[in-house]
Amino acid sequence: MAWHIAGSYFETCNCDAICPCRRVNGAPGGRSTHGVCMGVLSWLIEDGAADRVDLTGVPVGLATHYDDDVEGSPWTWILYLDATASAEQNAALEAIFTGRAGGDARRHFPWVWKASKLVEVRHVGIEVHHEPRRQVFRTRAYVTVRMRDRYQGEETVTCVIPGHEREGEELVADVMRVDDGPLVFEYAGNCGYAATFDYSG
């Protein structure tokens, strides 16, 4: 399957801003603030296709957890796909975001190159807004994320998931709430990050 997706990205986790896993002014990151990372990642595809399947306009989300003190810090994660997308669109996106389709997923997605446990692939109603500094990601009954504003600092910040070649903006979350199977957490005032992405395979 030949594929390409590009668009906007934002994430939040329970770390303090600036999240230590990012590169700050070019310096590599390290251990998470609290030793355990819990977060939500969100993509809005503004241009994309997999073979002949158009993926433009489709959102994707993840809820995640890992522990720095567990060897290899394997990820536990849930993949959220849009219930209003077609079966062909969601099959293509599941292949891309699980890494089965190869390509840039193997460079950008830690849950692909590390040991990981995919708990569930959920087809749910997704509400997503990627308006700068007011980003929102919600799934019915499972996830609510809302950004508050930018982090008040002048550092240059990058993240592996959209790519370190892309400068992004550090954010502060208004709320991050997940209640889905083994992933249950809620935070406010924690870190966030926004950038663009461009992946292919």
Side-chain angles (χ1 to χ4, degrees), residues 1-2 5 12 14 41 53 75 84-85 97 109-111 114 123 135 137 155 158 160 165 182 197:
M1 182 177 73
I5 54 174
T12 181
N14 64 310
L41 318 179
V53 179
W75 285 45
T84 66
F97 281 87
F109 299 163
W111 57 93
K114 290 184 172 188
H123 298 81
Q135 290 92 338
F137 181 84
E155 296 91 338
T158 65
V160 67
E165 75 282 0
F197 70 92

Side-chain angles (χ1 to χ4, degrees), residues 19 29 77 104 109 137 146 149 157 176 190:
C19 179
W77 58 292
D104 284 338
F109 299 163
F137 181 84
R146 188 170 58 247
D149 206 348
V157 183
M176 174 183 69
N190 45 295

Side-chain angles (χ1 to χ4, degrees), residues 38-174:
M38 295 168 275
V40 176
L41 318 179
S42 163
W43 297 259
L44 183 57
I45 299 168
E46 296 169 2
D47 178 51
D51 288 339
R52 298 180 181 179
V53 179
D54 183 15
L55 300 175
T56 301
V58 183
V60 178
L62 262 73
T64 71
H65 170 280
Y66 68 85
D67 188 330
D68 288 319
D69 293 323
V70 175
E71 185 176 359
S73 59
W75 285 45
T76 299
W77 58 292
I78 298 169
L79 177 63
Y80 299 101
L81 299 176
D82 187 5
T84 66
S86 71
E88 293 79 9
Q89 287 173 319
N90 279 332
L93 290 170
E94 182 175 342
I96 290 168
F97 281 87
T98 59
R100 294 199 309 266
D104 284 338
R106 298 175 189 247
R107 290 196 305 124
H108 290 284
F109 299 163
W111 57 93
V112 170
W113 77 67
K114 290 184 172 188
S116 69
K117 178 182 179 182
L118 174 57
V119 175
E120 191 72 53
V121 178
R122 296 206 183 279
H123 298 81
V124 293
I126 295 176
E127 177 189 353
V128 60
H129 304 285
H130 280 207
E131 178 187 352
R133 304 176 186 175
R134 293 293 183 271
Q135 290 92 338
V136 172
F137 181 84
R138 293 190 185 96
T139 72
R140 184 174 299 174
Y142 298 115
V143 179
T144 298
V145 173
R146 188 170 58 247
M147 292 294 106
R148 177 188 301 165
D149 206 348
R150 72 180 294 271
Y151 167 76
Q152 298 301 313
E154 300 304 319
E155 296 91 338
T156 298
V157 183
T158 65
C159 174
V160 67
I161 294 172
H164 290 300
E165 75 282 0
R166 294 173 177 270
E167 186 175 329
E169 182 175 54
E170 190 74 7
L171 303 170
V172 177
D174 190 42

